[in-house]
Amino acid sequence: PVGRIHRQLREGRYAARVGAGAPVYLAAVLEYLAAEILELAGNASRDNKRVRIIPRHIQLAIRNDEELNKLLQDVTIAAGGVIPNIHAVLLPPKSKNKDA
């Protein structure tokens, strides 16, 4: 909704004047970001054999994408959990002998 974004830009006092193209561009950027996150979250839900997207899938989608992670690095997603990671030091040592 370009009109709503235009109104919020004016009422938010981000600048003294707001051009006619600014809310159109901002709406396109927001739509692109939403579509990108939803696509990646849908892929994450399909990987987990689920039909619905839950906050965990959104978290996995954002944190596994380099650019989205950089954009949303300070964002906390409720019920999103953490990315699975086991430090290499904690893994058991690999045996070099193959006597089997």
Side-chain angles (χ1 to χ4, degrees):
V2 175
R4 184 178 303 167
I5 293 175
H6 186 66
R7 176 176 46 83
Q8 290 173 344
L9 282 174
R10 278 188 280 111
E11 293 175 355
R13 307 303 295 164
Y14 297 105
R17 296 164 51 165
V18 177
V24 177
Y25 193 88
L26 183 55
V29 169
L30 291 174
E31 182 180 356
Y32 171 75
L33 282 175
E36 187 75 18
I37 291 173
L38 281 175
E39 181 184 354
L40 293 173
N43 294 343
S45 68
R46 197 176 335 107
D47 292 343
N48 289 325
K49 299 180 180 69
R50 299 285 187 267
V51 177
R52 295 190 181 101
I53 295 174
I54 59 174
R56 173 70 176 160
H57 301 143
I58 297 172
Q59 173 84 320
L60 289 172
I62 289 173
R63 301 303 168 211
N64 287 327
D65 187 80
E66 183 179 338
E67 293 174 340
L68 284 175
N69 188 29
K70 186 170 175 59
L71 178 68
L72 303 172
Q73 63 187 357
D74 297 328
V75 173
T76 301
I77 297 175
V82 296
I83 298 300
N85 184 25
I86 301 174
H87 200 278
V89 176
L90 300 174
L91 293 173
K94 294 182 179 179
S95 58
K96 293 184 179 179
N97 57 353
K98 295 185 178 180
D99 297 334

